[in-house]
Amino acid sequence: MNEDRNTTSRLLKGAAVLSLAAIVSKLLGTLQKIPLQNIGGDGVFGIYNTVYPFYTILLTLATAGFPTVVSKFVAERHALGEEAGKRAVLRIASVVMVALGAAGCLLMYFGAPLLAAWIGSSQLIPALRSAAPALLFVPLSASLRGYFQGLQNMTPTAVSQVTEQAVRVAVMIGLLFYFTGIGGSEAVIAGGALAGSAVGGAAGLAVMLLYWKGYRKRETTGRSGRKRGDSALAEVQPGPARDESVPALITVGKANADRGLIRELFRYAIPICLASLAIPLLNLVDTFTLPRLLNNGGDELRAMVEVGVYNRGIPLVQLVTMLASSLSVLFIPVLAEMNLRGDREGIAKQTGLALRWFWLIGLAASAGLALLAEPINVMLYEDNTGTGTFAWLAWTAAPGALVTITAALLQGLGVVRAPAVHLLAAAALKALLNALLVPRLGISGAAIAGIAAYAVAAALNLALLLRRAGLRPRLRDAAVRPAAAVLAMAAAVALLRLAGDAALPPGRLAALAESVLGVLLGAAVFAAAAVRLRLIGGAELAALPRVGPKLASALRKLRLLR
């Protein structure tokens, strides 16, 4: 019993460590785009955001799935006490991943001119080549992370992830200042920014190698005592007669075992990898369509500036989906356990609760970002260029949050492939709509295409999930009441903006005040309206950690909550 409790405690602690590291890493990765645009400008911002999805695709192909599979195989061999088996898994996985990473690096570096021609802009060549070396470091880090995760030691993964991201951002900002200071072109400055990925990858690998060195040292020290005890016994035990054919048999057996392990690694890793490719593929659609569609007059740099303006709103939308992604994983083990027990009532209750909360969070975020698009744009990027596109992009947060939570809930119910297929269909729709809308509407057309693509993926996931969970939501609860809460928030924020525009002089500080106050007021009004309209129950609100009981008590005193 104590052993089970200790195991559960280690798992919960490890999950908390990994979740915190993932949130910090994603925050750094998302927010670093703001100084990137501020220092480098929209042209550099456009080049960076055009190249980065392609780099992400190659990184996903080289690493996604393998850490999870390595951790699984290592955990199995660790439970059986097979030390040699654990090391064989790490050795083979490392060789495979380093080979894949090296292939990706060579493809990205030497194929940069051809890739830039396919995308439609020669401005991308320095950036593609600068990002390529990262693929030499990150795959080996991923295999080592999988090894330690298999031992239920999540700290090395967490520390290396945060170190990698922090070093990447620091180097990126330093090189941005350096190249802008010497008057480098937009292509060169963007290349410097992406060089941070390689330095960050090397730093993350260095951290993992330090943990590995310490682990091997402890293992060697632990075994040395046992070896001294065994050596005396070995001296008095008669050994078997020497068979010269044994080394050859061992070599053949080892080669066969290695090939079998490689097959098993790929058999488990490929489905995970394909599922992980879905969202990067959606972003890759813009990489391969926008530069060419926007480059009607032959001005490649101008097209990159437009791509940069288009990407202004994406970091904030990604913060919403990042929050949804971090919280959604909590539902997977709960639903998996209920599904195993056949608890249909519990599945329906948990699914309905998760869908309602994430729909409300996504809807409030989309409406709030759209209403405050202009002051947020000025606050973060100094001017209001592309505010209309920013507002359109904001409306991808709501369907994006639904895509994230529905995919997690389906995974908890054992449905893994369907969400990936739905996102692939969404990517195809995004490409088609980009081709139809961008020539007519410019970058706003790409934003509208994104709303449609995410909405289709969310609708497909939702239809399958409702059928599996046996849910039939009412239109009043799913649409009418949330719309009323959004209207209340919109009215409050609109009045605040009118008052702010009348009382404050135009500028970045005024935009900062208007944005912060607008977010706070909008969130408070939306939450109060949601409670008043019974979209959120008192028991649900009180169940929130720490702040929930106090908030519920305060709302009851104001007679907003029963």
Side-chain angles (χ1 to χ4, degrees):
M1 183 67 71
N2 288 334
E3 185 178 348
D4 291 342
R5 196 179 296 118
N6 290 336
T7 301
T8 303
S9 176
R10 284 198 305 272
L11 288 173
L12 290 174
K13 182 180 177 182
V17 169
L18 277 185
S19 297
L20 180 60
I23 290 171
V24 172
S25 297
K26 288 177 181 177
L27 274 173
L28 286 171
T30 300
L31 296 179
Q32 54 96 21
K33 292 184 178 181
I34 295 168
L36 170 62
Q37 188 276 342
N38 283 200
I39 299 168
D42 287 319
V44 172
F45 198 48
I47 295 170
Y48 181 94
N49 283 291
T50 301
V51 169
Y52 200 75
F54 186 80
Y55 162 75
T56 304
I57 286 284
L58 289 180
L59 198 63
T60 301
L61 286 171
T63 63
F66 282 98
T68 303
V69 177
V70 169
S71 67
K72 174 185 182 296
F73 287 0
V74 167
E76 291 172 350
R77 284 152 179 78
H78 183 67
L80 297 173
E82 297 179 1
E83 294 297 321
K86 290 189 320 189
R87 289 195 296 274
V89 170
L90 178 61
R91 172 175 54 82
I92 292 171
S94 297
V95 170
V96 170
M97 294 176 74
V98 167
L100 290 173
C105 174
L106 293 172
L107 170 66
M108 200 165 180
Y109 188 87
F110 292 106
L114 181 59
L115 290 171
W118 286 350
I119 295 170
S121 176
S122 60
Q123 300 283 325
L124 305 176
I125 295 174
L128 285 165
R129 285 180 167 166
S130 295
L135 293 165
L136 297 175
F137 306 115
V138 178
L140 184 55
S141 292
S143 62
L144 287 167
R145 288 170 185 169
Y147 184 88
F148 282 105
Q149 288 169 28
L151 302 178
Q152 295 183 19
N153 183 1
M154 310 301 176
T155 303
T157 296
V159 174
S160 68
Q161 281 180 341
V162 174
T163 301
E164 177 182 331
Q165 198 71 283
V167 170
R168 184 172 77 85
V169 172
V171 171
M172 182 200 78
I173 293 175
L175 289 175
L176 278 172
F177 278 118
Y178 173 73
F179 284 116
T180 53
I182 63 172
S185 66
E186 281 82 355
V188 171
I189 296 170
L194 278 156
S197 299
V199 182
L205 177 58
V207 169
M208 290 308 305
L209 289 174
L210 286 174
Y211 273 105
W212 173 251
K213 182 180 178 181
Y215 169 77
R216 292 292 294 150
K217 185 176 180 180
R218 289 191 300 272
E219 286 288 293
T220 303
T221 303
R223 284 199 301 268
S224 62
R226 293 194 297 271
K227 286 181 178 179
R228 282 195 297 270
D230 293 342
S231 60
L233 181 64
E235 288 177 4
V236 297
Q237 294 294 328
R242 184 176 178 85
D243 186 348
E244 296 297 333
S245 66
V246 168
L249 291 173
I250 290 175
T251 302
V252 172
K254 182 175 178 297
N256 289 333
D258 287 354
R259 282 195 292 271
L261 187 53
I262 290 172
R263 283 194 298 270
E264 286 293 294
L265 282 169
F266 277 103
R267 187 166 72 89
Y268 281 95
I270 285 175
I272 300 174
C273 182
L274 291 176
S276 302
L277 279 174
I279 290 179
L281 277 175
L282 202 59
N283 296 328
L284 196 66
V285 170
D286 286 332
T287 291
F288 277 97
T289 58
L290 281 187
R292 195 175 293 279
L293 290 169
L294 294 169
N295 189 19
N296 290 330
D299 188 346
E300 293 180 355
L301 183 56
R302 179 60 191 166
M304 286 297 104
V305 170
E306 287 289 301
V307 172
V309 173
Y310 168 75
N311 277 278
R312 285 187 176 194
I314 290 178
L316 295 179
V317 173
Q318 286 177 339
L319 283 179
V320 178
T321 54
M322 179 207 74
L323 175 65
S325 178
S326 299
L327 294 176
S328 66
V329 297
L330 300 175
F331 292 91
I332 296 174
V334 175
L335 280 185
E337 183 179 343
M338 289 179 174
N339 193 41
L340 191 63
R341 294 200 312 261
D343 184 0
R344 309 309 303 174
E345 183 180 348
I347 288 172
K349 183 178 179 180
Q350 286 291 332
T351 301
L353 177 66
L355 287 175
R356 185 165 72 256
W357 274 90
F358 279 79
W359 171 234
L360 291 175
I361 290 171
L363 192 61
S366 281
L369 287 173
L371 290 164
L372 295 167
E374 184 173 4
I376 290 175
N377 200 9
V378 175
M379 175 186 72
L380 296 179
Y381 304 112
E382 300 184 279
D383 58 48
N384 63 357
T385 305
T387 293
T389 301
F390 196 122
W392 279 115
L393 276 170
W395 288 104
T396 61
L402 270 185
V403 168
T404 301
I405 186 59
T406 51
L409 294 171
L410 285 168
Q411 186 177 346
L413 295 175
V415 182
V416 179
R417 295 181 182 178
V421 173
H422 296 162
L423 270 172
L424 290 174
L429 177 63
K430 178 74 162 73
L432 175 63
L433 290 178
N434 272 5
L436 293 174
L437 298 178
V438 172
R440 295 173 175 81
L441 303 175
I443 53 177
S444 291
I448 294 169
I451 298 171
Y454 275 110
V456 166
L460 291 171
N461 280 2
L462 189 60
L464 179 58
L465 178 63
L466 293 178
R467 190 164 66 250
R468 288 297 184 102
L471 286 174
R472 288 187 178 181
R474 294 181 297 181
L475 181 64
R476 181 179 60 181
D477 295 332
V480 178
R481 287 179 175 176
V486 167
L487 287 174
M489 179 180 72
V493 172
L495 288 173
L496 175 71
R497 288 202 58 194
L498 286 172
D501 290 343
L504 297 172
R508 208 167 186 183
L509 285 177
L512 171 63
E514 203 171 313
S515 299
V516 173
L517 291 174
V519 168
L520 295 174
L521 177 64
V525 170
F526 187 87
V531 170
R532 188 67 177 172
L533 293 167
R534 297 182 184 178
L535 289 168
I536 300 173
E540 294 173 359
L541 197 61
L544 291 174
R546 295 187 180 181
V547 299
K550 294 179 181 178
L551 184 58
S553 176
L555 290 173
R556 285 193 181 98
K557 288 178 182 178
L558 295 171
R559 297 185 179 181
L560 294 173
L561 185 66
R562 295 178 184 178

